Amino acid sequence: MDKDNKILEIVKQKFTEYLTANKCRKTPERYAILDLIYTDQRHFDMDSLYEAMNKRNFRVSRATLYNTMQLLLDCKLVLKHQFGQNISFYERAYNNDFHHHLICTNCHEIQEYKDAELRTVIQNKKIKRFTPSHYSLYIYGLCNACAKKEKAKKI
Ligand SMILES: [Zn+2]
Ligand SMILES: [Zn+2]
């Protein structure tokens, strides 16, 4: 079994445990959504997840999608982000390499930004009268393609 399959097995197991403990139904739709998120989605919103499900010929209602995402958030298999828009974005939480996010304010592209130095600085920060558990850092600006377009406009 390769690494990705192994992770998929682990998250399915965790999801099953959660569904059992909370007396939720273990429907094939719920597992298909989990599978999709852990196989080929990075940062996504509900609409793109809905489309991706359809592309896989797996018809699910939006209600099922929302309700499953809520379960996945509750059992911490999925993380939710608000990247400066009104839309919520999601990404897998288990075994995801830690990263910060670079968000293009023009085309809304989201890039992962891995910077060990920055991470160490933040993790080693002592904050008075506060015990941090986790944090998120979003850096807004223009992606390379948009920056080039902006530059071209000015000439
Ligand atoms: Zn851009
Ligand atoms: Zn991310």
Side-chain angles (χ1 to χ4, degrees), residues 104 106-107 143 146:
C104 179
N106 187 49
C107 70
C143 73
C146 290

Side-chain angles (χ1 to χ4, degrees), residues 42-43 81 83 91 96-97 99-101 110-112:
R42 293 304 297 170
H43 305 94
H81 296 287
F83 291 132
E91 72 177 310
N96 196 350
D97 285 347
H99 55 269
H100 301 107
H101 296 95
I110 299 148
Q111 293 177 53
E112 294 184 2

Side-chain angles (χ1 to χ4, degrees), residues 116-149:
E117 205 183 325
L118 191 57
R119 193 180 182 199
T120 310
V121 169
I122 296 172
Q123 280 182 333
N124 293 336
K125 270 264 173 270
K126 296 263 181 292
I127 305 171
K128 268 187 197 166
R129 291 192 291 273
F130 191 79
T131 310
S133 58
H134 59 285
Y135 75 94
S136 48
L137 176 67
Y138 304 150
I139 303 175
Y140 296 93
L142 290 177
C143 73
N144 211 10
C146 290
K148 269 185 195 159
K149 271 184 228 157

